[in-house]
Amino acid sequence: MPLTDAPRDLLALATRLALEAGVELLGRQAGLSVEQAQTKSSGTDPVSAADRASERLIVTGLAAERPKDGVLGEEGARTASVSGLTWVIDPLDGTVNYLYGRPDWCVSIAVEDGEGALAGVVHQPTTGITWSAVRGAGATRDGRPLQLRTSRGLAEALVATGFSYLADRRAEQAEYLGRVLPGVRDLRRGGSAALDLCSVADGTADAYYEHVIQPWDVAAGALIAREAGATTVGGPGTPLPGGLLAAPAGLAEALLGLLDPSRKRVA
Ligand code: IPD
Ligand code: CA
Ligand code: CA
């Protein structure tokens, strides 16, 4: 029976495919190393057979259930949308961690309409944890509702961030880092933007920012963070035109003040 456009049905499909992709990725991890991977934007930006197999599995599943929807996948899947809905997929976020045998990697799937992300799921196969959200209906971690309660001040904030694969961009990111690091509790570089955003949503970090980020890295995670109560700032016309910041509102403003010293400091 074909699925309806109800966000809950779309989320159920995304969740099923993320879990299936997770099984596929777990099965391949032991056999892969960073030396076997090919590279993309730079010599340290790997893409493995596992990234491609995961994307294939997800795209095939979507085509079977949602043939009129568009697809934007990191590893090249591109289908124009007829229905008005588009799936944005990072089939393996945290590829470097995956290829080094580290646990912090995930599958990220979101579905967007004309107003942005409508539903999204981030699944971490090594722990079995699944975060998800539907726009306007809240976020959950393994089915339990998420709601940010505390908003720490800047000096007490644990801030997750990430870096580009390109050396020039990293040099710029190091400048931002030099301003942020002295002003916060500490920084974390986990290696998966999607998991960083989920950590803001479930309170295992206070904030996340990254200066250059792609839609598939953040489509699901940003929705999950927002639905848990975080403010997100990023994209054209914002102080982070190519990036994203997620934090409780007061902390977001304070962090923007550190990232852009021309901005008025509020905390
Ligand atoms: C990367 C991770 C990383 C972030 C990079 C992303 P990938 O995605 O999310 O944490 O800092 O900007 O490109 O390459 O592992 O899918
Ligand atoms: Ca990614
Ligand atoms: Ca990826």
Side-chain angles (χ1 to χ4, degrees):
M1 183 156 125
L3 288 168
T4 72
D5 283 358
R8 287 279 160 209
D9 280 352
L10 301 175
L11 179 63
L13 174 61
T15 304
R16 173 168 70 77
L17 294 174
L19 265 63
E20 286 176 17
V23 171
E24 173 80 25
L25 288 165
L26 278 174
R28 288 171 176 261
Q29 189 177 21
L32 288 173
S33 72
V34 77
E35 283 73 28
Q36 292 167 324
Q38 294 178 304
T39 54
K40 296 192 288 186
S41 64
S42 79
T44 54
D45 178 5
V47 55
S48 69
D51 297 70
R52 294 196 177 104
S54 175
E55 182 157 303
R56 215 163 33 241
L57 183 154
I58 296 164
V59 169
T60 303
L62 290 173
E65 301 280 359
R66 306 281 319 173
K68 295 186 175 166
D69 295 352
V71 174
L72 174 65
E74 175 172 11
E75 304 313 337
R78 299 282 183 280
T79 308
S81 178
V82 176
S83 65
L85 296 174
T86 298
W87 297 84
V88 184
I89 303 157
D90 193 332
L92 169 46
D93 189 48
T95 297
V96 172
N97 285 345
Y98 177 85
L99 292 173
Y100 271 80
R102 298 171 67 97
D104 285 0
W105 50 272
C106 64
V107 179
S108 171
I109 306 176
V111 59
E112 297 184 345
D113 63 10
E115 293 169 37
L118 177 61
V121 63
V122 172
H123 173 61
Q124 184 180 17
T126 52
T127 58
I129 300 174
T130 303
W131 296 261
S132 63
V134 168
R135 190 173 67 218
T140 61
R141 172 179 157 150
D142 288 341
R144 284 189 300 281
L146 294 172
Q147 185 57 56
L148 294 184
R149 284 196 186 82
T150 58
S151 177
R152 297 191 176 93
L154 195 55
E156 289 78 42
L158 184 62
V159 179
T161 191
F163 307 117
S164 165
Y165 288 111
L166 304 176
D168 290 357
R169 292 216 175 114
R170 282 191 176 184
E172 291 167 14
Q173 288 171 324
E175 285 178 29
Y176 294 116
L177 204 61
R179 290 203 290 273
V180 173
L181 188 52
V184 299
R185 177 191 299 276
D186 207 347
L187 288 169
R188 292 290 181 268
R189 198 295 188 243
S192 159
L195 290 176
D196 288 341
L197 284 158
C198 291
S199 70
V200 173
D202 69 15
T204 53
D206 295 306
Y208 159 78
Y209 80 91
E210 190 159 347
H211 270 88
V212 182
I213 201 74
Q214 302 300 326
W216 41 78
D217 295 315
V218 298
L223 177 67
I224 292 164
R226 268 194 304 278
E227 287 297 324
T231 293
T232 58
V233 180
T238 75
L240 286 171
L244 185 71
L245 180 150
L251 181 57
E253 192 57 36
L255 197 49
L256 283 172
L258 274 189
L259 292 167
D260 175 5
S262 66
R263 206 178 166 86
K264 194 166 153 274
R265 285 285 300 278
V266 295

